[in-house]
Amino acid sequence: MALLEVKKLGISFGGLRAVDEFSIKIEKGELYGLIGPNGAGKTTIFNLLTGVYKPTDGSILLDGVDITGKSTIQINRAGIARTFQNIRLFHNLSVIDNVKVGLHNHYKYSAGTGVFRLPKYFRTEKEMNKKALELLKVFDLDGEAYLPASGLPYGKQRKLEIARALATEPKLLLLDEPAAGMNPNETAGLMDTILTVRDEFGVTVLLIEHDMFLVSGICEKLTVLNFGQLLCEGKTGDVLSNPEVIKAYLGE
Amino acid sequence: MKKKISPMTRKSFVTYGLLLIVFIAVEIMMNTGNISSMLKGLLVPVCVYSILAVSLNLTVGILGELSLGQAGFMCIGAYSSAIFSNLVKDTITQPLIRFPLAIIIGGICAALFGILIGIPVLRLRGDYLAIVTLAFGEIIKNVFAALYIGYDSTGLHFSLKSQGDLGLGADGKMIINGALGISGTPNDSTFEIAAAILFITLIIAYNFVNSRTGRAVMSIRDNRIAAESVGINITKYKLITFGLTAFLAGVAGVLYSHNFYSLQASKFDYNMSILVLVFVVLGGIGSIRGSVIAAVVLTMLPEYLRSINNYRMLFYAVILIVMMICTSNATIRNFFVHNFEKLKGLIFKNKSKTVKEAE
């Protein structure tokens, strides 16, 4: 059974059909790419998958469970985490606290326990700190754990966003243009990180990207979107040599 | 390796320490009789305003939403506890039992109203939320100003019309007399109790911020969409914060009402809410210690300016504006910070030398 199965997903904003009859099937452990020209509807699909927008038609199945029309919070608990195209960190919180917010639903104690500093508070906080530092270490951020998130350089902010998403222990990780604004060196580092995330955490990854170096380098399968509609899908090599894809997106 | 204390914990302990020093100083002054009657009268209000400022800072600074209904919650706490104290003052004569009960009742009543009002209101954000909370504060004040409550041997009597409408028996006593307010509340508020509650408020506020719940609330402030994407229930945490703010405001109201023999609802108008907001903004949004300092300074200032009676409010306004400019202007602030560092360097010079030698 596929981890994510989307059937004939569609959404209209007034008269605009932003996404139409979009279907995708992602197997567990795959590294899947979603590409297409600007305005094709890629981020809209992410917003549909994470419950930011409610689809007008179609269905989304995660691990066999129907999550169509569920709220963002429910979908996150079901196992989808994401990053954003324009980085959305908790800027005034420290790096480690950003990750600890991600751990929120897995390490619990009540508000009263926190206010009155009951033993459970210290126990849980200790576990959270340990887990958060482990995660930060994977992304080479453990040295900056107690700095404010806004003080991190751009590339590290992107990494922190991925770390925060992973803290929610997702089955499926959605990355929205992870390499945007990165130089070639940073991109190469990011590719390693994404592979590590997939292999070490056993997370399936779906990513939107314009950087063809990254896409051809790590994605195993691709779906190309154009004007809200599916243009082509299949193995990365086949898709990138498809004449229609070249015409619509890559350029001749 | 030395155990690392998180900056947040250090900050909170500095604040507790400062408060303790001030408390001890005031106690010494009181016991040696070196205190003016004016200052003595200000002690409880200073604590009350500090608690109000800290509690509002939880909503404004930590949750990042503007609420102008602080006086309304204070009013609920003040009135509900005053009714309780008036009813039981003949049966429970020991203020050390009566007053804590009053504080809990006042706080819980305010928190309940806070949550009830919060459910519809917290859907709004920014200016809209500010306007609606302001309106709720005024509604609460006006309802209490029109309320008549009395009791006799047959029980409690309520009315929203007039004193005569209550139909009290011959042995009846009034508790709330409409716009004339409550009178006869036992004066249970002492500086010691008020300071203790301020201390507890600070502990609650710091511990709240520095916990799982506080982090969730701050994540909502920093980025609502991202907070939702990692599974934070926004409504729940907004309500918790709003409820806690209302609870603490209610407790402040209890202290306030038990400091005066008589109290009118008109005291809890929007001026009071704005005043508390001024403390929060001046003390630094999100800075708990700043809220307390601003509340203390700005509560004492008008009283000390009484000597120039006619120009009092003019001076108060000018000082307020100058303080606002000084704290918000980066150049001026850096000037102070720079000189403060220099001063610190002078004081701790010897200490740093010994450290170097040790190395």
Side-chain angles (χ1 to χ4, degrees), chain A residues 182-194:
Chain A
M182 284 190 176
N183 65 35
N185 281 336
E186 285 175 323
T187 306
L190 180 74
M191 285 162 71
D192 286 339
T193 315
I194 295 173

Side-chain angles (χ1 to χ4, degrees), chain A:
Chain A
M1 189 177 58
L3 180 75
L4 181 77
E5 199 171 352
V6 176
K7 283 180 201 150
K8 299 199 165 172
L9 197 65
I11 186 168
S12 306
F13 299 107
L16 177 78
R17 191 76 180 155
V19 174
D20 192 27
E21 302 226 333
F22 175 79
S23 298
I24 197 169
K25 207 169 174 181
I26 302 177
E27 298 297 328
K28 200 170 186 316
E30 258 178 346
L31 232 165
Y32 208 109
L34 182 60
I35 59 172
N38 286 332
K42 303 182 295 294
T43 299
T44 308
I45 286 172
F46 269 26
N47 283 337
L48 286 168
L49 291 178
T50 52
V52 177
Y53 299 148
K54 306 276 174 266
T56 18
D57 36 329
S59 67
I60 307 165
L61 290 175
L62 180 75
D63 228 357
V65 184
D66 189 5
I67 54 164
T68 324
K70 293 261 170 70
S71 73
T72 309
I73 299 159
Q74 286 169 322
I75 288 175
N76 178 263
R77 287 184 188 168
I80 298 185
R82 71 175 293 184
T83 66
F84 297 88
Q85 191 174 354
N86 44 344
I87 304 176
R88 290 178 183 272
L89 286 173
F90 308 128
H91 289 284
N92 296 309
L93 298 187
S94 65
V95 170
I96 192 168
D97 278 354
N98 267 273
V99 178
K100 278 159 90 178
V101 173
L103 295 170
H104 188 84
N105 287 323
H106 296 280
Y107 294 81
K108 289 187 175 177
Y109 57 82
S110 69
T113 310
V115 166
F116 298 111
R117 290 283 191 264
L118 302 179
K120 197 179 173 195
Y121 164 85
F122 293 101
R123 213 167 47 233
T124 318
E125 281 289 313
K126 205 173 157 191
E127 287 168 16
M128 280 175 115
N129 278 331
K130 197 173 150 232
K131 176 82 187 168
L133 281 174
E134 271 173 25
L135 261 170
L136 287 176
K137 198 156 194 168
V138 174
F139 294 91
D140 199 20
L141 284 165
D142 49 335
E144 285 109 335
Y146 294 95
L147 293 179
S150 53
L152 287 180
Y154 188 80
K156 291 199 165 182
Q157 290 199 5
R158 285 237 173 257
K159 282 184 171 178
L160 177 57
E161 223 191 1
I162 300 175
R164 183 184 67 192
L166 279 177
T168 67
E169 297 178 18
K171 295 172 189 161
L172 176 67
L173 179 63
L174 309 181
L175 303 175
D176 199 344
E177 296 199 23
M182 284 190 176
N183 65 35
N185 281 336
E186 285 175 323
T187 306
L190 180 74
M191 285 162 71
D192 286 339
T193 315
I194 295 173
L195 286 171
T196 322
V197 165
R198 198 262 307 261
D199 299 337
E200 273 192 27
F201 294 88
V203 179
T204 310
V205 180
L206 171 63
L207 60 87
I208 295 176
E209 191 48 75
H210 284 297
D211 188 329
M212 280 306 127
F213 176 66
L214 185 142
V215 170
S216 58
I218 60 171
C219 289
E220 290 147 359
K221 271 183 169 178
L222 286 183
T223 284
V224 188
L225 209 63
N226 197 19
F227 297 117
Q229 282 175 324
L230 204 125
L231 186 71
C232 172
E233 63 181 330
K235 290 230 161 56
T236 303
D238 301 342
V239 170
L240 292 182
S241 54
N242 185 312
E244 272 192 71
V245 175
I246 292 172
K247 193 176 157 209
Y249 179 50
L250 298 174
E252 286 161 75

Side-chain angles (χ1 to χ4, degrees), chain B residues 154-210:
Chain B
T154 56
L156 271 176
H157 296 261
F158 296 90
S159 170
L160 281 168
K161 286 182 191 145
S162 67
Q163 195 180 343
D165 193 51
L166 283 174
L168 283 179
D171 56 342
K173 271 186 187 167
M174 289 301 292
I175 299 176
I176 300 179
N177 197 355
L180 294 173
I182 317 174
S183 53
T185 316
N187 277 12
D188 288 341
S189 289
T190 59
F191 171 60
E192 286 78 10
I193 293 178
I197 292 181
L198 173 58
F199 204 82
I200 294 170
T201 303
L202 284 174
I203 293 174
I204 290 176
Y206 274 117
N207 285 358
F208 179 77
V209 173
N210 206 4

Side-chain angles (χ1 to χ4, degrees), chain B residues 56-65 205 208-209 214-215 217-222 241 285-288:
Chain B
L56 185 64
N57 209 344
L58 292 178
T59 293
V60 176
I62 308 302
L63 180 62
E65 294 289 4
F208 179 77
V209 173
R215 273 195 303 271
V217 173
M218 288 187 286
S219 76
I220 296 169
R221 171 195 67 190
D222 278 4
T241 318
I285 290 174
S287 161
I288 291 166

